[in-house]
Amino acid sequence: MENIIYISGHKNPDTDSICSAIAYSELKNKLGFNTVPARLGNVSRETQFALDYFKVDAPKLVENLSENQDLILVDHNERSQSIDNLEALHLLEIIDHHRIADIQTSYPIFFRNEPVGCSSTIIGSMYFEKGITPSKEAAGLMCSAIISDTLLFRSPTTTDRDKEVLKKLAEIADIDPEKYASEMFKAGTSLKGKTVEEIFNSDYKVFNLGDKKVGVSQVTTMDIEGFDEYKKDMLAYMDKKVKDESFNVVLLLLTDIIKEGSLLIATGEDTAIVNKAFNVELKDNSVYVPGILSRKKQVIPPLTSAIEAK
Amino acid sequence: MENIIYISGHKNPDTDSICSAIAYSELKNKLGFNTVPARLGNVSRETQFALDYFKVDAPKLVENLSENQDLILVDHNERSQSIDNLEALHLLEIIDHHRIADIQTSYPIFFRNEPVGCSSTIIGSMYFEKGITPSKEAAGLMCSAIISDTLLFRSPTTTDRDKEVLKKLAEIADIDPEKYASEMFKAGTSLKGKTVEEIFNSDYKVFNLGDKKVGVSQVTTMDIEGFDEYKKDMLAYMDKKVKDESFNVVLLLLTDIIKEGSLLIATGEDTAIVNKAFNVELKDNSVYVPGILSRKKQVIPPLTSAIEAK
């Protein structure tokens, strides 16, 4: 019997690692190899949306493979991100788009690394170079990976190659990239099922600006509307924080990097600072501010100025 | 002005390192880049034959490049084989066919490593993939590299890809690979200009086999005929060695790995051992033995048996 070859992305897998493993496995199998996609961790909500949309099973979850198992890596070439017993395995290929890192072999292998936005851009190219048409499912998953890694071309890592390959694949997958991306990002960043504590504390920092104590939490979500049902509880949680920890202002940013703006939710005695800093008017403790994406660069400096100008 | 990109093979450059740098430079320039081939050491006789045949200048000799110089590596991905100040340079690409080694980058680059017999096989493929026809000169140099690295397909590292690419390139270069290989190997391994001491001592070992003291030198050359002018002086040199160092036999093997055989030159009182070991008859102290390539596996064991059977 022919050897099975595992194809795996990195630990803590993102959509590219999962979808590239599946799509490359299909390509290799069409070329006569006997491969199965694998994953080194849980599937994210975003990835699960893509798998559900195209009705594809998640790859097999593996932790260690048996000694000398044939293996292909996608979307990483960094030992720390790879399967634990990598050194005991038989590495055949690497397809990646990251820095050249620290995996060594004692024999020549196929290694294709390209400075493009996504591993699936390379794998899509390989289909076209070999004149093989991916299935609708594989094409759809590669689209999902490219959209995810490039934030639908908003990431500075995006290249023309990513755009070209997505265009071709989207036709095969029969999707409208803009519409599909919006649905996938919404599903991937949905707040559903989380508690207000979880949402607030996922990326929360305290700042002493002038004589004011300010707490600022930031959550990236492409489902700001989904926040409506949390608003009342979140404000109560933030109010309690203001009182218990003597904050002047507690601020939550819900940032939509696709629409490129943030919904600001503010509580505390000095919320006027927020109005002044961003030249807005909070209404029921919230206001949407277009263009605000970075806490460090676009939120803390104007808050500081507003406090100092007081 | 556009940045110049250097393209360099490894230190102690072989025909692949020189010819791949030149051929890849032509390809990149045809794609709109501004590249120049470079080399990290002297051009071998074999490589010089190829350059002369196709009337191409040797690449520029470099030792260090100025900081942040753009650079592409061909035929190596091993720091110790690369330019000394590699870490200070701006590495753009690697095209190679060796093991994955220890060069790291802090940013994604184009890295194409394939388990084929020669870097020029990959570069030739890249021309064809991009629909670009190499010049006769570049095609000829890539043929030279493939012939050199694969010993015209006699090396176990040879793949079908090497054969396919050589076939296509040989048509463009207008050469007969067999005939060209024979001339190139002959030029590359010519003994011309060397002294008998240099020839004899390049790979010489002493063995005590049973009660006999035997000296065996081996020289790889595809120009055995070129030895004729040395024969008289070499025999005098070997006879002196026999007397001065009390050898029973001193043996020189001139091995042609393309014709797959060795000319044996033997001196000393016990040259009958050589006749017995290889079932041959020395004539004027020499005899050509087909099939003999390895001193370790095909010369020492039969000499030992012949001595012990005495």
Side-chain angles (χ1 to χ4, degrees), chain B residues 172-231:
Chain B
I172 299 166
D174 194 22
I175 56 163
D176 169 350
E178 288 282 349
K179 198 163 158 284
Y180 179 80
S182 164
E183 288 174 40
M184 184 179 79
F185 286 136
K186 196 167 165 176
T189 60
S190 161
L191 303 173
K192 202 160 262 172
K194 298 190 177 174
T195 65
V196 291
E197 286 88 342
E198 281 170 358
I199 296 169
F200 186 87
N201 292 299
S202 64
D203 182 11
Y204 167 62
K205 289 181 178 170
V206 177
F207 300 85
N208 289 300
L209 307 176
D211 57 350
K212 305 293 181 191
K213 185 180 175 190
V214 181
V216 186
S217 166
Q218 183 170 31
V219 175
T220 298
T221 180
M222 277 71 127
D223 183 24
I224 288 182
E225 308 83 56
F227 179 71
D228 283 349
E229 57 180 286
Y230 289 97
K231 189 173 175 184

Short mmCIF file of all heavy atoms in Angstrom, two decimals, chain B residues 172-231:
data_model
loop_
_atom_site.label_atom_id
_atom_site.label_comp_id
_atom_site.label_asym_id
_atom_site.label_seq_id
_atom_site.Cartn_x
_atom_site.Cartn_y
_atom_site.Cartn_z
N ILE B 172 17.86 24.65 -27.95
CA ILE B 172 18.06 26.10 -28.06
C ILE B 172 19.55 26.42 -28.18
O ILE B 172 19.96 27.29 -28.95
CB ILE B 172 17.43 26.82 -26.84
CG1 ILE B 172 15.93 26.55 -26.78
CG2 ILE B 172 17.71 28.33 -26.89
CD1 ILE B 172 15.28 26.91 -25.46
N ALA B 173 20.36 25.69 -27.41
CA ALA B 173 21.82 25.95 -27.41
C ALA B 173 22.50 25.35 -28.63
O ALA B 173 23.66 25.64 -28.90
CB ALA B 173 22.44 25.39 -26.14
N ASP B 174 21.75 24.51 -29.36
CA ASP B 174 22.27 23.86 -30.56
C ASP B 174 23.51 23.01 -30.25
O ASP B 174 24.55 23.13 -30.91
CB ASP B 174 22.58 24.92 -31.64
CG ASP B 174 22.80 24.29 -33.01
OD1 ASP B 174 22.31 23.16 -33.21
OD2 ASP B 174 23.46 24.92 -33.85
N ILE B 175 23.39 22.16 -29.23
CA ILE B 175 24.49 21.24 -28.92
C ILE B 175 23.96 19.80 -28.84
O ILE B 175 22.78 19.58 -28.60
CB ILE B 175 25.17 21.55 -27.55
CG1 ILE B 175 24.14 21.54 -26.40
CG2 ILE B 175 25.94 22.86 -27.59
CD1 ILE B 175 24.75 21.43 -25.02
N ASP B 176 24.88 18.85 -29.08
CA ASP B 176 24.60 17.44 -28.85
C ASP B 176 25.11 17.15 -27.43
O ASP B 176 26.32 17.18 -27.20
CB ASP B 176 25.34 16.61 -29.90
CG ASP B 176 25.32 15.12 -29.58
OD1 ASP B 176 24.91 14.73 -28.46
OD2 ASP B 176 25.74 14.33 -30.46
N PRO B 177 24.21 16.91 -26.47
CA PRO B 177 24.64 16.79 -25.07
C PRO B 177 25.78 15.79 -24.85
O PRO B 177 26.74 16.09 -24.15
CB PRO B 177 23.37 16.35 -24.34
CG PRO B 177 22.27 16.90 -25.17
CD PRO B 177 22.74 16.80 -26.59
N GLU B 178 25.70 14.62 -25.48
CA GLU B 178 26.74 13.60 -25.29
C GLU B 178 28.11 14.13 -25.73
O GLU B 178 29.10 14.01 -25.02
CB GLU B 178 26.41 12.33 -26.09
CG GLU B 178 25.26 11.50 -25.55
CD GLU B 178 25.66 10.64 -24.34
OE1 GLU B 178 26.88 10.53 -24.06
OE2 GLU B 178 24.75 10.10 -23.68
N LYS B 179 28.13 14.71 -26.93
CA LYS B 179 29.38 15.19 -27.51
C LYS B 179 29.92 16.37 -26.70
O LYS B 179 31.11 16.44 -26.37
CB LYS B 179 29.11 15.62 -28.97
CG LYS B 179 30.34 15.73 -29.83
CD LYS B 179 29.96 15.75 -31.32
CE LYS B 179 31.05 16.39 -32.15
NZ LYS B 179 31.07 17.88 -32.04
N TYR B 180 29.01 17.29 -26.37
CA TYR B 180 29.42 18.47 -25.60
C TYR B 180 29.93 18.06 -24.22
O TYR B 180 30.95 18.57 -23.74
CB TYR B 180 28.24 19.44 -25.47
CG TYR B 180 28.58 20.68 -24.67
CD1 TYR B 180 29.27 21.74 -25.25
CD2 TYR B 180 28.22 20.78 -23.33
CE1 TYR B 180 29.61 22.87 -24.51
CE2 TYR B 180 28.55 21.90 -22.58
CZ TYR B 180 29.24 22.94 -23.17
OH TYR B 180 29.58 24.04 -22.44
N ALA B 181 29.22 17.12 -23.58
CA ALA B 181 29.62 16.66 -22.24
C ALA B 181 31.02 16.08 -22.27
O ALA B 181 31.86 16.36 -21.41
CB ALA B 181 28.63 15.62 -21.73
N SER B 182 31.28 15.28 -23.29
CA SER B 182 32.58 14.63 -23.41
C SER B 182 33.69 15.68 -23.52
O SER B 182 34.73 15.60 -22.85
CB SER B 182 32.55 13.70 -24.63
OG SER B 182 33.85 13.35 -24.98
N GLU B 183 33.45 16.72 -24.34
CA GLU B 183 34.46 17.79 -24.51
C GLU B 183 34.62 18.59 -23.21
O GLU B 183 35.74 18.94 -22.82
CB GLU B 183 34.05 18.74 -25.63
CG GLU B 183 34.18 18.12 -27.02
CD GLU B 183 33.61 19.04 -28.10
OE1 GLU B 183 33.81 20.27 -28.01
OE2 GLU B 183 32.94 18.51 -29.02
N MET B 184 33.50 18.89 -22.56
CA MET B 184 33.56 19.70 -21.34
C MET B 184 34.27 18.95 -20.22
O MET B 184 35.13 19.50 -19.54
CB MET B 184 32.15 20.12 -20.91
CG MET B 184 32.15 21.05 -19.70
SD MET B 184 30.48 21.56 -19.19
CE MET B 184 29.95 20.11 -18.30
N PHE B 185 33.90 17.68 -20.04
CA PHE B 185 34.54 16.89 -18.97
C PHE B 185 36.03 16.72 -19.26
O PHE B 185 36.86 16.74 -18.34
CB PHE B 185 33.87 15.53 -18.84
CG PHE B 185 32.51 15.59 -18.18
CD1 PHE B 185 31.43 14.85 -18.69
CD2 PHE B 185 32.30 16.35 -17.04
CE1 PHE B 185 30.19 14.90 -18.08
CE2 PHE B 185 31.05 16.39 -16.43
CZ PHE B 185 29.99 15.67 -16.95
N LYS B 186 36.37 16.54 -20.53
CA LYS B 186 37.77 16.37 -20.91
C LYS B 186 38.55 17.63 -20.56
O LYS B 186 39.62 17.56 -19.92
CB LYS B 186 37.84 16.11 -22.43
CG LYS B 186 39.14 15.55 -22.91
CD LYS B 186 39.00 15.03 -24.34
CE LYS B 186 40.38 14.83 -24.94
NZ LYS B 186 40.31 14.24 -26.28
N ALA B 187 37.97 18.79 -20.91
CA ALA B 187 38.63 20.06 -20.59
C ALA B 187 38.72 20.25 -19.08
O ALA B 187 39.72 20.72 -18.55
CB ALA B 187 37.86 21.21 -21.23
N GLY B 188 37.64 19.87 -18.40
CA GLY B 188 37.57 20.12 -16.96
C GLY B 188 38.52 19.26 -16.16
O GLY B 188 38.96 19.66 -15.07
N THR B 189 38.81 18.06 -16.67
CA THR B 189 39.65 17.15 -15.90
C THR B 189 40.99 16.93 -16.56
O THR B 189 41.70 15.98 -16.24
CB THR B 189 38.94 15.79 -15.72
OG1 THR B 189 38.71 15.24 -17.02
CG2 THR B 189 37.63 15.94 -14.98
N SER B 190 41.33 17.83 -17.49
CA SER B 190 42.61 17.72 -18.18
C SER B 190 43.76 17.79 -17.18
O SER B 190 43.71 18.51 -16.18
CB SER B 190 42.72 18.86 -19.19
OG SER B 190 44.07 19.05 -19.55
N LEU B 191 44.79 17.02 -17.45
CA LEU B 191 45.95 17.01 -16.56
C LEU B 191 46.96 18.08 -16.97
O LEU B 191 47.97 18.29 -16.29
CB LEU B 191 46.61 15.63 -16.61
CG LEU B 191 45.69 14.47 -16.24
CD1 LEU B 191 46.38 13.13 -16.47
CD2 LEU B 191 45.22 14.58 -14.79
N LYS B 192 46.68 18.74 -18.08
CA LYS B 192 47.61 19.71 -18.66
C LYS B 192 48.07 20.77 -17.65
O LYS B 192 47.29 21.32 -16.90
CB LYS B 192 46.91 20.42 -19.84
CG LYS B 192 47.88 21.03 -20.83
CD LYS B 192 47.22 21.27 -22.18
CE LYS B 192 47.55 20.12 -23.14
NZ LYS B 192 46.82 20.17 -24.40
N GLY B 193 49.37 20.99 -17.65
CA GLY B 193 49.91 22.05 -16.79
C GLY B 193 50.23 21.58 -15.38
O GLY B 193 50.74 22.34 -14.57
N LYS B 194 49.91 20.32 -15.08
CA LYS B 194 50.20 19.81 -13.74
C LYS B 194 51.52 19.04 -13.75
O LYS B 194 51.91 18.49 -14.78
CB LYS B 194 49.07 18.90 -13.25
CG LYS B 194 47.75 19.65 -13.14
CD LYS B 194 46.68 18.82 -12.45
CE LYS B 194 45.41 19.65 -12.30
NZ LYS B 194 44.30 18.88 -11.77
N THR B 195 52.18 18.94 -12.61
CA THR B 195 53.41 18.15 -12.52
C THR B 195 53.01 16.72 -12.14
O THR B 195 51.90 16.49 -11.63
CB THR B 195 54.35 18.69 -11.44
OG1 THR B 195 53.71 18.53 -10.16
CG2 THR B 195 54.64 20.17 -11.67
N VAL B 196 53.90 15.76 -12.37
CA VAL B 196 53.59 14.37 -12.00
C VAL B 196 53.39 14.26 -10.49
O VAL B 196 52.54 13.49 -10.02
CB VAL B 196 54.65 13.36 -12.50
CG1 VAL B 196 54.61 13.26 -14.01
CG2 VAL B 196 56.04 13.72 -12.01
N GLU B 197 54.15 15.04 -9.71
CA GLU B 197 53.95 15.03 -8.25
C GLU B 197 52.53 15.48 -7.89
O GLU B 197 51.87 14.87 -7.06
CB GLU B 197 54.95 15.97 -7.53
CG GLU B 197 56.38 15.47 -7.45
CD GLU B 197 57.21 15.87 -8.66
OE1 GLU B 197 56.62 16.23 -9.72
OE2 GLU B 197 58.45 15.81 -8.56
N GLU B 198 52.09 16.57 -8.51
CA GLU B 198 50.75 17.09 -8.23
C GLU B 198 49.68 16.05 -8.57
O GLU B 198 48.74 15.82 -7.82
CB GLU B 198 50.48 18.36 -9.04
CG GLU B 198 51.11 19.62 -8.45
CD GLU B 198 51.04 20.81 -9.41
OE1 GLU B 198 50.54 20.64 -10.55
OE2 GLU B 198 51.50 21.88 -9.01
N ILE B 199 49.86 15.44 -9.76
CA ILE B 199 48.87 14.45 -10.19
C ILE B 199 48.87 13.27 -9.21
O ILE B 199 47.82 12.87 -8.71
CB ILE B 199 49.19 13.96 -11.63
CG1 ILE B 199 49.04 15.11 -12.61
CG2 ILE B 199 48.29 12.79 -12.01
CD1 ILE B 199 49.59 14.82 -14.01
N PHE B 200 50.04 12.75 -8.92
CA PHE B 200 50.13 11.54 -8.11
C PHE B 200 49.63 11.76 -6.68
O PHE B 200 48.95 10.91 -6.10
CB PHE B 200 51.57 11.01 -8.05
CG PHE B 200 51.68 9.69 -7.35
CD1 PHE B 200 51.49 8.50 -8.06
CD2 PHE B 200 51.92 9.61 -5.99
CE1 PHE B 200 51.57 7.27 -7.42
CE2 PHE B 200 51.99 8.38 -5.33
CZ PHE B 200 51.80 7.21 -6.05
N ASN B 201 49.95 12.93 -6.11
CA ASN B 201 49.66 13.14 -4.68
C ASN B 201 48.30 13.77 -4.39
O ASN B 201 47.99 14.03 -3.23
CB ASN B 201 50.77 13.96 -4.05
CG ASN B 201 52.07 13.17 -3.99
OD1 ASN B 201 52.13 12.12 -3.35
ND2 ASN B 201 53.10 13.64 -4.69
N SER B 202 47.48 14.00 -5.42
CA SER B 202 46.21 14.68 -5.16
C SER B 202 45.27 13.79 -4.32
O SER B 202 44.49 14.29 -3.51
CB SER B 202 45.53 15.08 -6.47
OG SER B 202 45.21 13.93 -7.22
N ASP B 203 45.36 12.48 -4.48
CA ASP B 203 44.52 11.59 -3.65
C ASP B 203 45.25 10.25 -3.52
O ASP B 203 44.94 9.28 -4.19
CB ASP B 203 43.13 11.41 -4.27
CG ASP B 203 42.22 10.53 -3.42
OD1 ASP B 203 42.60 10.23 -2.26
OD2 ASP B 203 41.14 10.15 -3.90
N TYR B 204 46.24 10.24 -2.63
CA TYR B 204 47.17 9.11 -2.51
C TYR B 204 47.08 8.48 -1.13
O TYR B 204 47.04 9.18 -0.12
CB TYR B 204 48.59 9.62 -2.78
CG TYR B 204 49.68 8.66 -2.40
CD1 TYR B 204 49.78 7.41 -3.03
CD2 TYR B 204 50.64 9.00 -1.43
CE1 TYR B 204 50.79 6.53 -2.67
CE2 TYR B 204 51.66 8.12 -1.08
CZ TYR B 204 51.72 6.88 -1.70
OH TYR B 204 52.71 6.01 -1.36
N LYS B 205 47.00 7.15 -1.07
CA LYS B 205 46.92 6.45 0.22
C LYS B 205 47.86 5.24 0.25
O LYS B 205 48.08 4.61 -0.77
CB LYS B 205 45.49 5.96 0.48
CG LYS B 205 44.54 7.11 0.78
CD LYS B 205 43.13 6.59 1.06
CE LYS B 205 42.21 7.76 1.41
NZ LYS B 205 40.82 7.34 1.45
N VAL B 206 48.35 4.95 1.46
CA VAL B 206 49.25 3.80 1.65
C VAL B 206 48.49 2.69 2.38
O VAL B 206 47.76 2.97 3.34
CB VAL B 206 50.49 4.20 2.45
CG1 VAL B 206 51.37 2.96 2.71
CG2 VAL B 206 51.29 5.26 1.71
N PHE B 207 48.63 1.44 1.92
CA PHE B 207 47.94 0.31 2.53
C PHE B 207 48.96 -0.79 2.88
O PHE B 207 49.86 -1.05 2.09
CB PHE B 207 46.91 -0.28 1.57
CG PHE B 207 45.85 0.70 1.14
CD1 PHE B 207 46.07 1.56 0.07
CD2 PHE B 207 44.63 0.76 1.81
CE1 PHE B 207 45.10 2.46 -0.32
CE2 PHE B 207 43.67 1.67 1.42
CZ PHE B 207 43.89 2.52 0.35
N ASN B 208 48.80 -1.44 4.02
CA ASN B 208 49.56 -2.66 4.32
C ASN B 208 48.60 -3.83 4.18
O ASN B 208 47.72 -4.03 5.01
CB ASN B 208 50.15 -2.59 5.73
CG ASN B 208 51.28 -1.57 5.78
OD1 ASN B 208 52.27 -1.71 5.06
ND2 ASN B 208 51.12 -0.56 6.61
N LEU B 209 48.76 -4.56 3.06
CA LEU B 209 47.84 -5.66 2.76
C LEU B 209 48.61 -6.97 2.95
O LEU B 209 49.53 -7.26 2.19
CB LEU B 209 47.34 -5.54 1.32
CG LEU B 209 46.73 -4.17 0.92
CD1 LEU B 209 46.37 -4.17 -0.57
CD2 LEU B 209 45.52 -3.83 1.76
N GLY B 210 48.24 -7.75 3.97
CA GLY B 210 49.02 -8.94 4.29
C GLY B 210 50.45 -8.49 4.60
O GLY B 210 50.65 -7.56 5.39
N ASP B 211 51.44 -9.09 3.92
CA ASP B 211 52.84 -8.69 4.16
C ASP B 211 53.35 -7.72 3.09
O ASP B 211 54.56 -7.52 2.94
CB ASP B 211 53.74 -9.93 4.22
CG ASP B 211 53.62 -10.77 2.95
OD1 ASP B 211 52.72 -10.48 2.11
OD2 ASP B 211 54.42 -11.71 2.79
N LYS B 212 52.43 -7.14 2.34
CA LYS B 212 52.84 -6.23 1.25
C LYS B 212 52.51 -4.78 1.59
O LYS B 212 51.44 -4.49 2.13
CB LYS B 212 52.12 -6.61 -0.06
CG LYS B 212 52.32 -8.05 -0.50
CD LYS B 212 53.76 -8.33 -0.90
CE LYS B 212 53.88 -9.80 -1.37
NZ LYS B 212 55.29 -10.20 -1.51
N LYS B 213 53.42 -3.91 1.25
CA LYS B 213 53.18 -2.48 1.39
C LYS B 213 52.81 -1.92 0.00
O LYS B 213 53.61 -2.03 -0.94
CB LYS B 213 54.44 -1.77 1.93
CG LYS B 213 54.23 -0.30 2.22
CD LYS B 213 55.53 0.34 2.75
CE LYS B 213 55.34 1.84 2.94
NZ LYS B 213 56.63 2.51 3.23
N VAL B 214 51.59 -1.37 -0.09
CA VAL B 214 51.06 -0.94 -1.40
C VAL B 214 50.64 0.52 -1.33
O VAL B 214 49.94 0.93 -0.40
CB VAL B 214 49.84 -1.82 -1.79
CG1 VAL B 214 49.30 -1.41 -3.15
CG2 VAL B 214 50.22 -3.30 -1.78
N GLY B 215 51.06 1.32 -2.29
CA GLY B 215 50.61 2.71 -2.39
C GLY B 215 49.64 2.85 -3.55
O GLY B 215 49.92 2.37 -4.64
N VAL B 216 48.48 3.47 -3.31
CA VAL B 216 47.49 3.60 -4.39
C VAL B 216 47.02 5.04 -4.52
O VAL B 216 46.45 5.61 -3.59
CB VAL B 216 46.26 2.69 -4.16
CG1 VAL B 216 45.32 2.75 -5.38
CG2 VAL B 216 46.68 1.25 -3.86
N SER B 217 47.29 5.61 -5.67
CA SER B 217 46.82 6.96 -5.97
C SER B 217 45.66 6.87 -6.96
O SER B 217 45.64 5.99 -7.82
CB SER B 217 47.96 7.76 -6.59
OG SER B 217 47.46 8.94 -7.17
N GLN B 218 44.67 7.76 -6.80
CA GLN B 218 43.57 7.76 -7.77
C GLN B 218 43.32 9.18 -8.27
O GLN B 218 43.22 10.13 -7.48
CB GLN B 218 42.28 7.21 -7.15
CG GLN B 218 41.13 7.13 -8.18
CD GLN B 218 39.92 6.38 -7.69
OE1 GLN B 218 39.61 6.38 -6.50
NE2 GLN B 218 39.22 5.72 -8.60
N VAL B 219 43.22 9.33 -9.58
CA VAL B 219 42.95 10.63 -10.20
C VAL B 219 41.75 10.45 -11.12
O VAL B 219 41.72 9.54 -11.94
CB VAL B 219 44.16 11.11 -11.03
CG1 VAL B 219 43.83 12.40 -11.76
CG2 VAL B 219 45.37 11.29 -10.12
N THR B 220 40.74 11.33 -10.94
CA THR B 220 39.59 11.28 -11.84
C THR B 220 39.87 12.18 -13.03
O THR B 220 40.16 13.36 -12.86
CB THR B 220 38.33 11.77 -11.10
OG1 THR B 220 38.08 10.88 -10.02
CG2 THR B 220 37.12 11.78 -12.02
N THR B 221 39.81 11.64 -14.20
CA THR B 221 40.01 12.45 -15.41
C THR B 221 39.20 11.87 -16.56
O THR B 221 39.07 10.65 -16.68
CB THR B 221 41.49 12.54 -15.79
OG1 THR B 221 41.60 13.34 -16.98
CG2 THR B 221 42.10 11.17 -16.07
N MET B 222 38.63 12.74 -17.35
CA MET B 222 37.97 12.27 -18.56
C MET B 222 38.90 12.50 -19.75
O MET B 222 38.45 12.60 -20.89
CB MET B 222 36.62 13.00 -18.74
CG MET B 222 35.51 12.34 -17.93
SD MET B 222 35.71 12.61 -16.11
CE MET B 222 34.11 13.26 -15.71
N ASP B 223 40.18 12.63 -19.44
CA ASP B 223 41.18 12.86 -20.49
C ASP B 223 42.35 11.91 -20.27
O ASP B 223 43.49 12.33 -20.11
CB ASP B 223 41.63 14.33 -20.46
CG ASP B 223 42.62 14.64 -21.58
OD1 ASP B 223 42.61 13.92 -22.60
OD2 ASP B 223 43.40 15.60 -21.43
N ILE B 224 42.04 10.60 -20.29
CA ILE B 224 43.08 9.59 -20.05
C ILE B 224 44.16 9.67 -21.14
O ILE B 224 45.35 9.51 -20.87
CB ILE B 224 42.47 8.17 -19.95
CG1 ILE B 224 41.71 8.05 -18.61
CG2 ILE B 224 43.55 7.09 -20.04
CD1 ILE B 224 41.09 6.69 -18.36
N GLU B 225 43.73 9.98 -22.39
CA GLU B 225 44.71 10.10 -23.49
C GLU B 225 45.75 11.17 -23.17
O GLU B 225 46.91 11.06 -23.55
CB GLU B 225 44.04 10.45 -24.82
CG GLU B 225 42.88 9.54 -25.21
CD GLU B 225 41.58 9.95 -24.53
OE1 GLU B 225 41.18 11.10 -24.69
OE2 GLU B 225 40.99 9.11 -23.81
N GLY B 226 45.28 12.23 -22.48
CA GLY B 226 46.19 13.33 -22.12
C GLY B 226 47.31 12.90 -21.18
O GLY B 226 48.26 13.65 -20.95
N PHE B 227 47.18 11.68 -20.64
CA PHE B 227 48.21 11.18 -19.72
C PHE B 227 49.46 10.69 -20.44
O PHE B 227 50.55 10.64 -19.85
CB PHE B 227 47.62 10.05 -18.86
CG PHE B 227 48.60 9.45 -17.90
CD1 PHE B 227 49.03 10.16 -16.78
CD2 PHE B 227 49.11 8.17 -18.12
CE1 PHE B 227 49.95 9.60 -15.90
CE2 PHE B 227 50.04 7.61 -17.24
CZ PHE B 227 50.45 8.32 -16.13
N ASP B 228 49.30 10.35 -21.72
CA ASP B 228 50.42 9.76 -22.49
C ASP B 228 51.74 10.54 -22.31
O ASP B 228 52.78 9.94 -22.05
CB ASP B 228 50.07 9.70 -23.99
CG ASP B 228 49.11 8.55 -24.27
OD1 ASP B 228 48.91 7.71 -23.35
OD2 ASP B 228 48.55 8.51 -25.39
N GLU B 229 51.65 11.87 -22.41
CA GLU B 229 52.88 12.68 -22.34
C GLU B 229 53.52 12.65 -20.95
O GLU B 229 54.67 13.04 -20.78
CB GLU B 229 52.60 14.14 -22.75
CG GLU B 229 51.51 14.80 -21.93
CD GLU B 229 51.26 16.25 -22.37
OE1 GLU B 229 52.12 17.09 -22.05
OE2 GLU B 229 50.20 16.52 -22.99
N TYR B 230 52.73 12.21 -19.93
CA TYR B 230 53.27 12.16 -18.56
C TYR B 230 53.83 10.79 -18.20
O TYR B 230 54.51 10.64 -17.19
CB TYR B 230 52.16 12.47 -17.54
CG TYR B 230 51.70 13.90 -17.53
CD1 TYR B 230 50.57 14.29 -18.24
CD2 TYR B 230 52.38 14.84 -16.77
CE1 TYR B 230 50.14 15.59 -18.22
CE2 TYR B 230 51.96 16.16 -16.74
CZ TYR B 230 50.83 16.53 -17.47
OH TYR B 230 50.41 17.82 -17.43
N LYS B 231 53.48 9.77 -19.01
CA LYS B 231 53.69 8.40 -18.56
C LYS B 231 55.13 8.10 -18.16
O LYS B 231 55.38 7.55 -17.08
CB LYS B 231 53.22 7.41 -19.64
CG LYS B 231 53.20 5.98 -19.13
CD LYS B 231 52.58 5.01 -20.12
CE LYS B 231 52.71 3.59 -19.59
NZ LYS B 231 52.22 2.59 -20.56
#
